[in-house]
Amino acid sequence: MACSTSSAAATNGQVHGTPISSAMEEVNDILPPPKMPLEPRGLAPGRGRLVGKRVLVVGGGQSVNSFDLNPPIGNGRAISVLCAREGATVVVVDRYQEAADLTVEQITLEGSPKAHSVMGDVSTPAGCSKILQESLAILGGQLDGLVLSVGTVGAPPLVEKGTAEYWDFVMNINLRTHYLLLQEALPHMEKRPEGGSVIAVGSVAAYLPSSPEPAYHASKAALSVLVKNVAYQFAPMVRVNTVVPGLIDTPMGRSSGLAIKGRNASAIPLSRQGTGWDIAYACVWLLSGESSFITAQDIVVDGGRVGTGSKGAKKLNAVTEVS
Ligand SMILES: NC(=O)c1ccc[n+]([C@@H]2O[C@H](COP(=O)([O-])OP(=O)(O)OC[C@H]3O[C@@H](n4cnc5c(N)ncnc54)[C@H](O)[C@@H]3O)[C@@H](O)[C@H]2O)c1
């Protein structure tokens, strides 16, 4: 597949300077344990929770790690697949056509004919506008749910860390694009008698600002506040919330685990990393009528890491120590 992110770069048998064999050992270390319910493994059947809804997922493809022979599902892809499994018509947007197409293919293989891919780059205002216009045309003007999963940990390899350019790149993809997409989508959703639900995918990086990626932390913290502001502006017709993933075993998570020393050595009370499906189930709940009194919230999906604080988590037995 042609798509890969900068942080996933693996060249000349090395991943971020780590030989591929060691990289794979680390990756194997962070696989979630097998004893999980069907839902976090993506194996539970749909229950019709989003029947009749039309949902747009931005960042619904998935990045690729060339070191990872058996990649887990990414957040955006899991969200798209689960929305379709629960009965929604889904438009999957990604900057890489092939990444979006693969998500649609997975949905189609599950038997849903109601998924569409759109290639679009959110990095410019014109790109954001084009994505929304094309998606609305496909959905016949009916947008019930919008999920902004698009995000980046860092900038492309040629952009030097610590520079203004690096800061701007991360802030643009993780924050400005969300502002632009919300600014255009929400007035449309607000006018519909049924209203709608919007989700931004944030990060516990907003609460635990201790990695060497200050722009990522700042962008995700600001995103949560932007969401709350927008939730206030567009209530009562549109609910707007942030789903806040912790350590999630996705291709992006695995790349970060290799790039940021100690990232995976965190104490997680529920004793495993999350999966893209864990994030997707939180999104399905927020998109459905089941959460109709919930807006302006951070829904933290992290196995209890933030809620218990690191001291509390360290006292528990069976804490996952991976890295
Ligand atoms: N994996 C984790 O541990 C973790 C933890 C906290 C938060 N998150 C957040 O979850 C979200 C998704 O993460 P993921 O792990 O599924 O990553 P991912 O890299 O698999 O998915 C991101 C998708 O966004 C697309 N994208 C990137 N830039 C784009 C652009 N300019 N225009 C259009 N599409 C673009 C990529 O091609 C990719 O398909 C991100 O917002 C990330 O910050 C992930």
Side-chain angles (χ1 to χ4, degrees):
M1 191 158 76
C3 56
S4 67
T5 60
S6 56
S7 55
T11 50
N12 302 328
Q14 301 257 313
V15 180
H16 300 292
T18 309
I20 283 185
S21 54
S22 336
M24 286 310 297
E25 276 164 30
E26 280 209 54
V27 165
N28 288 333
D29 277 351
I30 63 172
L31 287 173
K35 278 192 184 170
M36 290 193 288
L38 292 178
E39 284 80 0
R41 288 189 281 149
L43 300 176
R47 292 155 186 142
R49 295 162 72 197
L50 299 180
V51 169
K53 303 243 185 241
R54 298 187 180 205
V55 176
L56 167 57
V57 182
V58 182
Q62 174 165 324
S63 59
V64 174
N65 293 330
S66 48
F67 63 86
D68 203 348
L69 303 176
N70 186 21
I73 195 161
N75 293 332
R77 179 163 294 162
I79 293 163
S80 307
V81 172
L82 193 62
C83 285
R85 195 183 292 171
E86 293 292 344
T89 299
V90 180
V91 172
V92 179
V93 174
D94 206 277
R95 69 180 154 161
Y96 295 115
Q97 181 73 58
E98 196 178 355
D101 285 348
L102 280 173
T103 303
V104 169
E105 199 179 300
Q106 188 160 339
I107 292 171
T108 310
L109 280 173
E110 288 198 3
S112 168
K114 294 185 293 185
H116 312 265
S117 64
V118 167
M119 188 175 83
D121 188 335
V122 296
S123 61
T124 63
C128 289
S129 202
K130 178 177 163 285
I131 284 168
L132 273 171
Q133 293 319 315
E134 273 186 40
S135 303
L136 278 170
I138 291 170
L139 295 173
Q142 179 191 327
L143 186 60
D144 303 292
L146 171 63
V147 184
L148 306 178
S149 186
V150 60
T152 184
V153 178
L158 292 178
V159 183
E160 201 183 326
K161 260 196 166 183
T163 59
E165 198 189 344
Y166 192 97
W167 174 270
D168 288 347
F169 183 91
V170 176
M171 283 292 175
N172 184 33
I173 301 298
N174 289 356
L175 186 61
R176 192 179 84 148
T177 62
H178 295 64
Y179 170 70
L180 294 172
L181 289 164
L182 292 170
Q183 199 180 37
E184 194 153 336
L186 280 160
H188 174 83
M189 293 173 90
E190 190 185 32
K191 279 191 209 117
R192 301 189 54 247
E194 303 83 359
S197 172
V198 175
I199 300 161
V201 178
S203 170
V204 291
Y207 298 87
L208 305 168
S210 53
S211 86
E213 291 290 348
Y216 186 71
H217 291 279
S219 65
K220 292 296 188 177
L223 179 62
S224 285
V225 178
L226 170 67
V227 160
K228 287 171 186 161
N229 172 273
V230 170
Y232 178 75
Q233 287 190 59
F234 289 88
M237 293 311 292
V238 187
R239 298 183 294 110
V240 193
N241 292 286
T242 307
V243 166
V244 179
L247 288 180
I248 309 298
D249 187 27
T250 67
M252 181 199 262
R254 289 183 176 190
S255 293
S256 303
L258 294 174
I260 302 171
K261 197 127 190 74
R263 177 187 183 272
N264 298 328
S266 318
I268 302 171
L270 291 186
S271 215
R272 67 171 174 88
Q273 290 207 16
T275 70
W277 301 108
D278 286 313
I279 303 308
Y281 272 100
C283 291
V284 163
W285 174 64
L286 286 170
L287 290 170
S288 76
E290 295 160 19
S291 58
S292 64
F293 202 47
I294 310 286
T295 197
Q297 297 301 312
D298 280 1
I299 306 295
V300 181
V301 184
D302 73 341
R305 190 169 163 224
V306 166
T308 56
S310 57
K311 278 187 185 159
K314 275 180 190 160
K315 281 183 198 147
L316 298 172
N317 297 324
V319 167
T320 304
E321 284 286 354
V322 282
S323 182

